[in-house]
Amino acid sequence: MGAAEKTAGADDRSDPPSPSLLALFRVVAHKKLVLLVRYPVNTATRFATLVILFGLILFGGEAVAGAAITDSLAGIIVGFFVWTMAIVAYQGLAWNITREAQWGTLERLFISPHGIGTVMLVKLVVNVLFSFLWAFATLLAMMALAREWLVVDPATVLPLLVLTVASISGLGLVFAGLALLYKRIENIFQLLQFAFVGLIAAPVGEVPALAVLPVSHGSYLLQEAMRDGTRLWEFAPGELGLLIATSAGYFLAGFAVFQIAQRRARKQGLLGQY
Amino acid sequence: MSETTPPAIDADGIEKRYDDGEDVVTAVDDVSLTIDPGEVVGLLGPNGAGKTTTIKCLLGLIVPDSGTIEIRGTDVAEHPERAHARVGAMLEGERNAYWRLTVRENLSFFAGLGGQQPAELRERHDRLLERLDLAGRADSVVNDLSTGMKQKVSLASTLARDVDVIFLDEPTLGLDVETALSLREEIRRLAESEDVAIVLTSHDMDVIEAVSDRVVILQDGRVIADDPVDRLGELFETQSFRVAIAQPVDELVRRRLDGLDLEVRGENDRLVIESQGTDSQTVYELMRLLEETGQELRDIDSVAPDLEEIFLELTDDASDARSDAQETARVVAGSGSKGGS
């Protein structure tokens, strides 16, 4: 009897179990943690770079602009805090696709029984969790350096941060998709990281229309929460609603673009070509 | 009532064309394949024949323009996640693993990526590491290992979870003889003991010949042969003798040999006499001639063609046929245009 003629009843492999999402989450998080711990110099250098950059802005700005910087110190700290979160979350998606392609492991992500969309979403969640660690560590260092202590109410800051990062993640997914199709676009990635500065610093209070930009509205609300101590429930429902709508919109649009790009990459045979 | 198990892979009429704006290149042209569980199929072909594109189409990493592909009865285009539930692939050799993780961490990662809890697979991983001679380096970072060991880590990570079908693209590339042999043994063991269907490509014909039940030869995206290794050997068997003599033959003897309609060529002090379909009479005449002229025989071998010779024969034939067809088309087109002007 040929192998293909064996009865299904005799074959215990006929129904593969549903893949465990928890298993996927654990291995993605474990890999991230292992790499942070195994290469402490790399981790410390990255952290030090962020703090030194903040120090340069702070002390350099004080030397040049004096009181103007001191008066807006809280805003600078919150802005830098949001920027740190944004680049960690964004890099984890956009740069990661490029690196996986370079390492030769990208196609293995695509043949996961979870599907590449789910794999990317799990990576995103893990990235956001790790970006919290980075951002809060940097925040502490910045507050100590500036001797300016801000209000960090977790019940307010965490939901606002998650929503702010969601819109950045949407952008990360868009550029991850573009990296699948156009490969070497690292220069655009870098430019966008600087563009985040403009988005974070957008004067939403003066020009409300800027609230529809990614990150801008979240950054504005975080400034109010951390500088002025506004609690989550003290914000106008319209403000929160707009933040939820823009964050969900950018995130869903980014995910849709990524899915279109990955389908096109498979159609054009572009996966794994780097 | 018994229900039959579907083939491990069932591909029908796969076509893939690339349009670069000027030309349309057909990478895969009407390829159909059925591979049973436990079967090892070697995919051979010259560079650019479409081997990798075919494998990637089978995996759903490249979407074909037409044709259907099922893995264990699941349509890869319609339900890729379900089709990938028990599929492993090693497509980038030693680059197929994370070099900054340890060997065991790679196994855990890819088991989890495949949806299985690594902790539940600990024993499987231990056995795998043992069999691939990696147990002593289980906690080493992959980057610190030799190329051969990295290659084995890639294979181990491909097998880190339960799989029914695996695709191996050039699995022995860059391996030393000993490692390549252990990899061959592992491939056969997987097919025979675990009923895993294996599709592999390799430029090393010895590997393909040693491990494959069946060989599929591709050229210009088309299947030009799909036969068991033994059957290919029978198809291309030539009655071939290799006769070694003690000293070079003189011109007179050489002319008499030519008269026997044998292909005669010298290899150092050897005379190689070869002809397809030689009857016994010719062999007797050859022996008589060598005896009459006082040639001292050193050795006589009957030689069967190896897979490399069969492969070259087939791909040469296909190239010739294509050239003839193109030439005919050119002549027809030429006469057509003359007629029209």
Side-chain angles (χ1 to χ4, degrees), chain A residues 3-4 6-8 11 13 20 27 38-39 100-105 107-108 110-115 266-268, chain B residues 2-3 5 16 18 36-37 56 60-63 72 81 84 95-96 98 100 105 113-115 157-158 164 194-195:
Chain A
K6 285 187 302 187
T7 58
D11 189 348
R13 299 173 174 191
S20 160
V27 295
R38 181 162 298 150
Y39 300 95
E100 296 275 1
Q102 286 169 336
W103 293 331
T105 45
E107 287 167 326
R108 298 196 70 176
F110 272 80
I111 57 168
S112 164
H114 292 285
R266 287 194 296 128
K267 183 94 182 154
Q268 295 177 356
Chain B
S2 73
E3 195 185 324
T5 303
K16 185 67 193 172
Y18 292 111
D36 287 334
K56 290 188 176 180
L61 292 171
I62 292 177
V63 179
R72 289 185 63 90
E81 289 85 9
H84 291 149
R95 293 176 66 240
N96 225 31
Y98 291 105
R100 292 190 297 162
E105 284 164 356
L113 184 68
S157 68
T158 303
D164 293 340
E194 298 190 20
D195 228 10

CSV table of all heavy atoms in Angstrom, one decimal, chain A residues 3-4 6-8 11 13 20 27 38-39 100-105 107-108 110-115 266-268, chain B residues 2-3 5 16 18 36-37 56 60-63 72 81 84 95-96 98 100 105 113-115 157-158 164 194-195:
chain,number,residue,atom,x,y,z
A,3,ALA,N,2.1,5.1,0.4
A,3,ALA,CA,1.9,6.0,1.6
A,3,ALA,C,0.7,6.8,1.5
A,3,ALA,O,0.0,7.1,2.4
A,3,ALA,CB,3.2,6.9,1.7
A,4,ALA,N,0.4,7.3,0.2
A,4,ALA,CA,-0.8,8.1,0.0
A,4,ALA,C,-2.1,7.4,0.2
A,4,ALA,O,-3.1,8.0,0.3
A,4,ALA,CB,-0.7,8.8,-1.3
A,6,LYS,N,-2.7,5.4,2.7
A,6,LYS,CA,-3.0,5.0,4.1
A,6,LYS,C,-4.3,5.7,4.5
A,6,LYS,O,-4.6,6.7,4.1
A,6,LYS,CB,-1.8,5.5,5.0
A,6,LYS,CG,-0.6,4.7,4.9
A,6,LYS,CD,0.4,5.1,5.9
A,6,LYS,CE,0.8,6.5,5.7
A,6,LYS,NZ,1.9,6.9,6.6
A,7,THR,N,-5.0,5.0,5.4
A,7,THR,CA,-6.3,5.6,5.8
A,7,THR,C,-6.1,6.7,6.8
A,7,THR,O,-5.1,6.8,7.5
A,7,THR,CB,-7.1,4.5,6.5
A,7,THR,OG1,-6.4,4.0,7.7
A,7,THR,CG2,-7.5,3.4,5.6
A,8,ALA,N,-7.0,7.7,6.6
A,8,ALA,CA,-6.9,8.9,7.5
A,8,ALA,C,-7.0,8.5,9.0
A,8,ALA,O,-6.4,9.1,9.8
A,8,ALA,CB,-8.0,9.9,7.1
A,11,ASP,N,-3.8,7.7,10.5
A,11,ASP,CA,-2.8,8.8,10.4
A,11,ASP,C,-3.2,9.9,11.5
A,11,ASP,O,-4.1,10.6,11.4
A,11,ASP,CB,-2.9,9.4,9.0
A,11,ASP,CG,-1.7,10.4,8.9
A,11,ASP,OD1,-1.1,10.8,9.9
A,11,ASP,OD2,-1.5,10.8,7.7
A,13,ARG,N,-1.8,12.5,12.1
A,13,ARG,CA,-1.4,13.9,11.7
A,13,ARG,C,-2.4,14.6,10.9
A,13,ARG,O,-2.1,15.7,10.4
A,13,ARG,CB,-0.1,13.8,10.9
A,13,ARG,CG,1.1,13.1,11.6
A,13,ARG,CD,2.2,13.0,10.6
A,13,ARG,NE,3.4,12.5,11.3
A,13,ARG,CZ,4.5,12.4,10.7
A,13,ARG,NH1,4.7,12.9,9.5
A,13,ARG,NH2,5.6,12.0,11.3
A,20,SER,N,-0.6,27.9,18.8
A,20,SER,CA,-0.8,28.7,20.0
A,20,SER,C,-0.2,30.1,19.9
A,20,SER,O,1.0,30.3,19.7
A,20,SER,CB,-0.1,27.9,21.2
A,20,SER,OG,0.2,28.8,22.2
A,27,VAL,N,7.8,33.3,22.6
A,27,VAL,CA,9.2,33.2,22.0
A,27,VAL,C,9.6,34.6,21.4
A,27,VAL,O,10.8,34.9,21.4
A,27,VAL,CB,9.2,32.1,20.9
A,27,VAL,CG1,9.0,30.7,21.6
A,27,VAL,CG2,8.2,32.3,19.8
A,38,ARG,N,21.9,39.7,26.6
A,38,ARG,CA,23.1,39.1,26.1
A,38,ARG,C,24.1,40.1,25.6
A,38,ARG,O,25.3,39.9,25.6
A,38,ARG,CB,22.8,38.1,25.0
A,38,ARG,CG,24.0,37.3,24.5
A,38,ARG,CD,23.6,36.1,23.8
A,38,ARG,NE,23.0,35.1,24.7
A,38,ARG,CZ,22.1,34.2,24.3
A,38,ARG,NH1,21.7,34.2,23.0
A,38,ARG,NH2,21.5,33.4,25.2
A,39,TYR,N,23.6,41.2,25.1
A,39,TYR,CA,24.5,42.2,24.5
A,39,TYR,C,24.4,43.5,25.4
A,39,TYR,O,23.9,44.5,24.9
A,39,TYR,CB,24.3,42.4,23.1
A,39,TYR,CG,24.4,41.1,22.3
A,39,TYR,CD1,23.4,40.3,22.0
A,39,TYR,CD2,25.7,40.7,21.9
A,39,TYR,CE1,23.5,39.1,21.3
A,39,TYR,CE2,25.9,39.5,21.2
A,39,TYR,CZ,24.8,38.7,20.9
A,39,TYR,OH,25.0,37.6,20.3
A,100,GLU,N,15.4,41.2,8.9
A,100,GLU,CA,15.0,39.8,8.8
A,100,GLU,C,15.4,39.3,7.3
A,100,GLU,O,15.8,38.2,7.1
A,100,GLU,CB,13.5,39.5,9.0
A,100,GLU,CG,13.0,39.8,10.4
A,100,GLU,CD,13.2,38.7,11.4
A,100,GLU,OE1,13.7,37.6,11.0
A,100,GLU,OE2,12.9,38.8,12.6
A,101,ALA,N,15.1,40.2,6.4
A,101,ALA,CA,15.5,39.8,5.0
A,101,ALA,C,17.0,39.7,4.9
A,101,ALA,O,17.4,38.7,4.2
A,101,ALA,CB,14.9,40.9,4.1
A,102,GLN,N,17.7,40.6,5.5
A,102,GLN,CA,19.2,40.5,5.4
A,102,GLN,C,19.7,39.2,6.1
A,102,GLN,O,20.6,38.6,5.7
A,102,GLN,CB,19.8,41.7,6.1
A,102,GLN,CG,19.7,42.9,5.2
A,102,GLN,CD,20.1,44.2,6.0
A,102,GLN,OE1,20.1,44.3,7.2
A,102,GLN,NE2,20.5,45.2,5.2
A,103,TRP,N,19.1,38.9,7.2
A,103,TRP,CA,19.5,37.7,8.0
A,103,TRP,C,19.1,36.4,7.3
A,103,TRP,O,19.7,35.3,7.5
A,103,TRP,CB,18.9,37.7,9.4
A,103,TRP,CG,19.3,38.8,10.3
A,103,TRP,CD1,20.5,39.4,10.3
A,103,TRP,CD2,18.6,39.4,11.4
A,103,TRP,NE1,20.6,40.3,11.3
A,103,TRP,CE2,19.4,40.3,11.9
A,103,TRP,CE3,17.3,39.2,11.9
A,103,TRP,CZ2,19.0,41.1,13.0
A,103,TRP,CZ3,16.9,39.9,12.9
A,103,TRP,CH2,17.7,40.9,13.5
A,104,GLY,N,18.1,36.4,6.4
A,104,GLY,CA,17.7,35.2,5.7
A,104,GLY,C,16.6,34.5,6.5
A,104,GLY,O,16.3,33.3,6.2
A,105,THR,N,15.9,35.2,7.4
A,105,THR,CA,14.9,34.5,8.2
A,105,THR,C,13.5,35.0,7.9
A,105,THR,O,12.5,34.5,8.4
A,105,THR,CB,15.1,34.8,9.7
A,105,THR,OG1,15.5,36.2,9.9
A,105,THR,CG2,16.3,33.9,10.2
A,107,GLU,N,11.5,34.7,5.2
A,107,GLU,CA,10.6,33.8,4.6
A,107,GLU,C,10.0,32.8,5.7
A,107,GLU,O,8.9,32.3,5.5
A,107,GLU,CB,11.2,33.1,3.5
A,107,GLU,CG,11.4,34.0,2.3
A,107,GLU,CD,12.3,33.5,1.2
A,107,GLU,OE1,13.3,32.8,1.6
A,107,GLU,OE2,12.0,33.7,0.0
A,108,ARG,N,10.8,32.6,6.7
A,108,ARG,CA,10.4,31.6,7.7
A,108,ARG,C,9.2,32.3,8.5
A,108,ARG,O,8.3,31.5,9.0
A,108,ARG,CB,11.5,31.2,8.7
A,108,ARG,CG,12.6,30.5,7.9
A,108,ARG,CD,13.5,29.8,8.8
A,108,ARG,NE,12.9,28.7,9.5
A,108,ARG,CZ,13.6,27.8,10.2
A,108,ARG,NH1,14.9,28.0,10.5
A,108,ARG,NH2,13.0,26.8,10.8
A,110,PHE,N,7.0,34.1,7.2
A,110,PHE,CA,5.9,34.0,6.2
A,110,PHE,C,5.3,32.6,6.2
A,110,PHE,O,4.1,32.5,5.9
A,110,PHE,CB,6.3,34.4,4.8
A,110,PHE,CG,6.2,35.9,4.6
A,110,PHE,CD1,7.2,36.8,5.0
A,110,PHE,CD2,5.1,36.4,3.9
A,110,PHE,CE1,7.1,38.1,4.8
A,110,PHE,CE2,5.0,37.8,3.7
A,110,PHE,CZ,6.0,38.6,4.1
A,111,ILE,N,6.1,31.6,6.6
A,111,ILE,CA,5.4,30.3,6.5
A,111,ILE,C,5.0,29.8,7.9
A,111,ILE,O,4.8,28.7,8.2
A,111,ILE,CB,6.3,29.2,5.8
A,111,ILE,CG1,7.7,29.1,6.5
A,111,ILE,CG2,6.4,29.5,4.4
A,111,ILE,CD1,8.4,27.9,6.1
A,112,SER,N,4.9,30.8,8.8
A,112,SER,CA,4.4,30.5,10.2
A,112,SER,C,2.9,30.2,10.0
A,112,SER,O,2.2,30.9,9.3
A,112,SER,CB,4.5,31.7,11.1
A,112,SER,OG,3.7,31.5,12.2
A,113,PRO,N,2.4,29.1,10.7
A,113,PRO,CA,0.9,28.8,10.6
A,113,PRO,C,0.1,29.9,11.2
A,113,PRO,O,-1.2,29.9,11.0
A,113,PRO,CB,0.8,27.5,11.3
A,113,PRO,CG,2.0,27.3,12.1
A,113,PRO,CD,3.1,28.1,11.5
A,114,HIS,N,0.7,30.9,11.9
A,114,HIS,CA,-0.1,32.1,12.3
A,114,HIS,C,-0.4,33.0,11.2
A,114,HIS,O,-1.3,33.8,11.3
A,114,HIS,CB,0.7,32.8,13.4
A,114,HIS,CG,0.9,32.0,14.7
A,114,HIS,ND1,-0.1,31.9,15.6
A,114,HIS,CD2,1.9,31.4,15.2
A,114,HIS,CE1,0.3,31.1,16.6
A,114,HIS,NE2,1.6,30.8,16.4
A,115,GLY,N,0.4,33.0,10.2
A,115,GLY,CA,0.3,34.0,9.1
A,115,GLY,C,1.2,35.2,9.4
A,115,GLY,O,1.3,35.6,10.6
A,266,ARG,N,4.6,38.8,-2.7
A,266,ARG,CA,4.5,37.4,-3.0
A,266,ARG,C,4.1,37.2,-4.5
A,266,ARG,O,4.6,36.3,-5.1
A,266,ARG,CB,3.5,36.7,-2.1
A,266,ARG,CG,4.1,36.5,-0.7
A,266,ARG,CD,3.3,35.6,0.2
A,266,ARG,NE,1.9,36.1,0.4
A,266,ARG,CZ,0.8,35.3,0.2
A,266,ARG,NH1,0.9,34.1,-0.3
A,266,ARG,NH2,-0.4,35.8,0.4
A,267,LYS,N,3.3,38.1,-4.9
A,267,LYS,CA,2.9,38.0,-6.4
A,267,LYS,C,4.1,38.2,-7.3
A,267,LYS,O,4.3,37.6,-8.3
A,267,LYS,CB,1.8,39.0,-6.6
A,267,LYS,CG,1.2,39.1,-7.9
A,267,LYS,CD,-0.1,38.2,-8.0
A,267,LYS,CE,-0.6,38.2,-9.4
A,267,LYS,NZ,-1.4,37.0,-9.7
A,268,GLN,N,4.9,39.2,-6.9
A,268,GLN,CA,6.0,39.6,-7.7
A,268,GLN,C,7.3,38.8,-7.4
A,268,GLN,O,8.4,39.0,-8.0
A,268,GLN,CB,6.3,41.1,-7.6
A,268,GLN,CG,5.2,41.9,-8.1
A,268,GLN,CD,5.4,43.4,-7.9
A,268,GLN,OE1,6.4,43.8,-7.3
A,268,GLN,NE2,4.5,44.2,-8.4
B,2,SER,N,-13.2,3.9,5.1
B,2,SER,CA,-11.9,4.5,5.2
B,2,SER,C,-11.8,5.7,4.2
B,2,SER,O,-12.3,5.6,3.0
B,2,SER,CB,-10.8,3.5,5.0
B,2,SER,OG,-10.7,3.2,3.6
B,3,GLU,N,-11.1,6.6,4.6
B,3,GLU,CA,-10.9,7.9,3.8
B,3,GLU,C,-9.4,7.9,3.4
B,3,GLU,O,-8.6,7.6,4.3
B,3,GLU,CB,-11.2,9.0,4.7
B,3,GLU,CG,-11.5,10.3,4.1
B,3,GLU,CD,-11.6,11.4,5.2
B,3,GLU,OE1,-12.2,11.1,6.2
B,3,GLU,OE2,-11.1,12.5,5.0
B,5,THR,N,-5.7,9.3,2.6
B,5,THR,CA,-4.9,10.4,3.0
B,5,THR,C,-4.5,11.2,1.8
B,5,THR,O,-4.0,10.5,0.8
B,5,THR,CB,-3.7,10.0,3.8
B,5,THR,OG1,-4.1,9.2,4.9
B,5,THR,CG2,-2.9,11.1,4.3
B,16,LYS,N,4.4,30.5,-13.6
B,16,LYS,CA,4.8,31.8,-13.1
B,16,LYS,C,5.6,32.6,-14.1
B,16,LYS,O,6.7,32.1,-14.6
B,16,LYS,CB,5.7,31.6,-11.8
B,16,LYS,CG,6.0,32.9,-11.1
B,16,LYS,CD,4.8,33.6,-10.5
B,16,LYS,CE,5.0,35.1,-10.1
B,16,LYS,NZ,3.8,35.7,-9.8
B,18,TYR,N,7.3,36.5,-15.2
B,18,TYR,CA,7.7,37.8,-14.7
B,18,TYR,C,7.8,38.7,-15.9
B,18,TYR,O,8.4,38.4,-16.9
B,18,TYR,CB,9.1,37.7,-14.0
B,18,TYR,CG,9.0,36.9,-12.7
B,18,TYR,CD1,9.7,35.7,-12.6
B,18,TYR,CD2,8.4,37.4,-11.6
B,18,TYR,CE1,9.6,35.0,-11.4
B,18,TYR,CE2,8.3,36.7,-10.4
B,18,TYR,CZ,8.9,35.5,-10.3
B,18,TYR,OH,8.9,34.8,-9.1
B,36,ASP,N,4.1,11.9,-2.3
B,36,ASP,CA,3.5,11.2,-1.2
B,36,ASP,C,4.2,11.4,0.1
B,36,ASP,O,5.4,11.7,0.2
B,36,ASP,CB,3.5,9.7,-1.5
B,36,ASP,CG,2.5,9.4,-2.6
B,36,ASP,OD1,1.5,10.2,-2.8
B,36,ASP,OD2,2.7,8.4,-3.4
B,37,PRO,N,3.5,11.2,1.2
B,37,PRO,CA,4.2,11.2,2.5
B,37,PRO,C,5.3,10.2,2.6
B,37,PRO,O,5.2,9.1,2.0
B,37,PRO,CB,3.0,10.8,3.5
B,37,PRO,CG,1.8,11.1,2.8
B,37,PRO,CD,2.0,10.9,1.4
B,56,LYS,N,9.3,27.9,-3.9
B,56,LYS,CA,8.6,29.0,-3.3
B,56,LYS,C,7.2,29.1,-3.7
B,56,LYS,O,6.3,29.5,-2.9
B,56,LYS,CB,9.4,30.3,-3.6
B,56,LYS,CG,10.7,30.4,-2.9
B,56,LYS,CD,11.4,31.7,-3.0
B,56,LYS,CE,12.7,31.7,-2.2
B,56,LYS,NZ,13.4,33.0,-2.2
B,60,GLY,N,3.9,28.8,-1.2
B,60,GLY,CA,3.1,30.0,-1.2
B,60,GLY,C,3.8,31.3,-1.0
B,60,GLY,O,3.2,32.3,-0.8
B,61,LEU,N,5.2,31.2,-1.0
B,61,LEU,CA,6.0,32.4,-0.8
B,61,LEU,C,6.0,33.2,-2.2
B,61,LEU,O,6.2,34.4,-2.2
B,61,LEU,CB,7.4,32.1,-0.5
B,61,LEU,CG,7.6,31.5,0.9
B,61,LEU,CD1,9.0,31.0,1.2
B,61,LEU,CD2,7.2,32.5,2.0
B,62,ILE,N,5.7,32.5,-3.2
B,62,ILE,CA,5.5,33.2,-4.5
B,62,ILE,C,4.1,32.7,-5.0
B,62,ILE,O,3.8,31.5,-5.0
B,62,ILE,CB,6.6,32.8,-5.6
B,62,ILE,CG1,7.9,33.4,-5.1
B,62,ILE,CG2,6.2,33.3,-7.0
B,62,ILE,CD1,9.1,33.1,-6.0
B,63,VAL,N,3.3,33.7,-5.4
B,63,VAL,CA,1.9,33.3,-5.9
B,63,VAL,C,2.0,33.0,-7.4
B,63,VAL,O,2.4,33.9,-8.2
B,63,VAL,CB,1.0,34.5,-5.6
B,63,VAL,CG1,-0.4,34.1,-6.1
B,63,VAL,CG2,0.9,34.9,-4.1
B,72,ARG,N,-1.1,18.5,1.8
B,72,ARG,CA,-1.9,17.6,2.6
B,72,ARG,C,-3.4,18.0,2.5
B,72,ARG,O,-4.1,18.1,3.5
B,72,ARG,CB,-1.5,17.6,4.1
B,72,ARG,CG,-0.2,16.9,4.2
B,72,ARG,CD,0.2,16.7,5.7
B,72,ARG,NE,-0.7,15.9,6.4
B,72,ARG,CZ,-0.7,14.6,6.5
B,72,ARG,NH1,0.3,13.9,6.0
B,72,ARG,NH2,-1.6,13.9,7.2
B,81,GLU,N,-2.2,29.6,6.0
B,81,GLU,CA,-1.9,29.4,7.4
B,81,GLU,C,-2.1,27.9,7.8
B,81,GLU,O,-1.3,27.2,8.4
B,81,GLU,CB,-2.7,30.2,8.4
B,81,GLU,CG,-2.3,31.7,8.4
B,81,GLU,CD,-3.0,32.5,7.3
B,81,GLU,OE1,-3.9,31.9,6.7
B,81,GLU,OE2,-2.6,33.7,7.1
B,84,HIS,N,0.4,25.7,6.1
B,84,HIS,CA,1.7,25.8,6.7
B,84,HIS,C,1.8,25.2,8.1
B,84,HIS,O,2.9,25.2,8.7
B,84,HIS,CB,2.2,27.3,6.8
B,84,HIS,CG,2.4,27.9,5.5
B,84,HIS,ND1,2.2,29.2,5.2
B,84,HIS,CD2,2.9,27.4,4.3
B,84,HIS,CE1,2.5,29.5,4.0
B,84,HIS,NE2,2.9,28.4,3.4
B,95,ARG,N,22.0,30.7,6.8
B,95,ARG,CA,21.4,32.0,7.2
B,95,ARG,C,20.0,31.8,7.7
B,95,ARG,O,19.3,32.8,8.0
B,95,ARG,CB,21.4,32.9,6.0
B,95,ARG,CG,22.8,33.3,5.6
B,95,ARG,CD,22.8,34.2,4.4
B,95,ARG,NE,22.2,35.5,4.6
B,95,ARG,CZ,21.1,35.9,3.9
B,95,ARG,NH1,20.5,35.1,3.0
B,95,ARG,NH2,20.6,37.0,4.1
B,96,ASN,N,19.5,30.6,7.7
B,96,ASN,CA,18.1,30.4,8.1
B,96,ASN,C,17.8,30.4,9.5
B,96,ASN,O,16.7,30.1,10.0
B,96,ASN,CB,17.7,29.0,7.5
B,96,ASN,CG,16.4,29.0,6.8
B,96,ASN,OD1,16.0,30.0,6.2
B,96,ASN,ND2,15.7,27.9,6.9
B,98,TYR,N,18.7,32.4,13.6
B,98,TYR,CA,19.2,33.7,14.2
B,98,TYR,C,20.6,33.5,14.8
B,98,TYR,O,20.7,32.7,15.8
B,98,TYR,CB,18.2,34.2,15.3
B,98,TYR,CG,16.9,34.6,14.7
B,98,TYR,CD1,15.7,33.8,14.8
B,98,TYR,CD2,16.8,35.8,14.0
B,98,TYR,CE1,14.5,34.2,14.2
B,98,TYR,CE2,15.6,36.2,13.4
B,98,TYR,CZ,14.5,35.4,13.5
B,98,TYR,OH,13.3,35.8,13.0
B,100,ARG,N,22.5,35.3,16.6
B,100,ARG,CA,22.8,35.9,18.0
B,100,ARG,C,22.1,35.1,19.1
B,100,ARG,O,22.3,35.4,20.2
B,100,ARG,CB,22.4,37.4,18.0
B,100,ARG,CG,23.3,38.2,17.1
B,100,ARG,CD,23.1,39.7,17.3
B,100,ARG,NE,21.8,40.1,17.0
B,100,ARG,CZ,21.2,41.3,17.4
B,100,ARG,NH1,21.9,42.1,18.2
B,100,ARG,NH2,20.0,41.6,17.0
B,105,GLU,N,18.0,28.1,21.7
B,105,GLU,CA,17.0,29.2,21.6
B,105,GLU,C,16.4,29.3,20.2
B,105,GLU,O,15.3,29.6,20.1
B,105,GLU,CB,17.7,30.5,22.0
B,105,GLU,CG,18.0,30.7,23.5
B,105,GLU,CD,19.0,31.8,23.8
B,105,GLU,OE1,19.6,32.4,22.9
B,105,GLU,OE2,19.2,32.0,25.0
B,113,LEU,N,7.2,29.9,16.8
B,113,LEU,CA,6.7,30.5,15.6
B,113,LEU,C,5.8,29.6,14.9
B,113,LEU,O,4.8,30.0,14.2
B,113,LEU,CB,7.9,30.9,14.7
B,113,LEU,CG,7.6,31.6,13.4
B,113,LEU,CD1,7.2,33.0,13.7
B,113,LEU,CD2,8.9,31.7,12.5
B,114,GLY,N,6.0,28.3,15.0
B,114,GLY,CA,5.1,27.3,14.4
B,114,GLY,C,3.9,27.0,15.3
B,114,GLY,O,3.1,26.2,14.9
B,115,GLY,N,3.8,27.7,16.4
B,115,GLY,CA,2.6,27.6,17.2
B,115,GLY,C,2.7,26.5,18.3
B,115,GLY,O,1.7,26.2,18.9
B,157,SER,N,16.4,23.7,13.3
B,157,SER,CA,15.3,24.6,13.6
B,157,SER,C,14.1,24.4,12.7
B,157,SER,O,13.0,24.6,13.1
B,157,SER,CB,15.8,26.0,13.5
B,157,SER,OG,16.1,26.4,12.2
B,158,THR,N,14.4,23.8,11.5
B,158,THR,CA,13.3,23.5,10.6
B,158,THR,C,12.5,22.3,11.1
B,158,THR,O,11.3,22.2,10.9
B,158,THR,CB,13.9,23.1,9.2
B,158,THR,OG1,14.6,24.2,8.7
B,158,THR,CG2,12.8,22.8,8.2
B,164,ASP,N,5.2,17.5,8.5
B,164,ASP,CA,4.9,16.4,7.6
B,164,ASP,C,5.7,16.6,6.3
B,164,ASP,O,5.9,15.7,5.5
B,164,ASP,CB,3.4,16.4,7.3
B,164,ASP,CG,2.6,16.0,8.5
B,164,ASP,OD1,3.2,15.4,9.5
B,164,ASP,OD2,1.4,16.3,8.6
B,194,GLU,N,9.7,8.7,10.0
B,194,GLU,CA,8.6,9.7,10.4
B,194,GLU,C,7.7,10.0,9.3
B,194,GLU,O,6.8,10.9,9.5
B,194,GLU,CB,9.3,10.9,11.0
B,194,GLU,CG,10.1,10.7,12.2
B,194,GLU,CD,10.6,11.9,13.0
B,194,GLU,OE1,10.0,13.0,12.8
B,194,GLU,OE2,11.6,11.8,13.7
B,195,ASP,N,7.9,9.4,8.2
B,195,ASP,CA,6.9,9.6,7.0
B,195,ASP,C,6.9,11.0,6.5
B,195,ASP,O,5.8,11.5,6.0
B,195,ASP,CB,5.5,9.2,7.5
B,195,ASP,CG,4.9,8.2,6.5
B,195,ASP,OD1,5.6,7.8,5.5
B,195,ASP,OD2,3.7,8.0,6.6
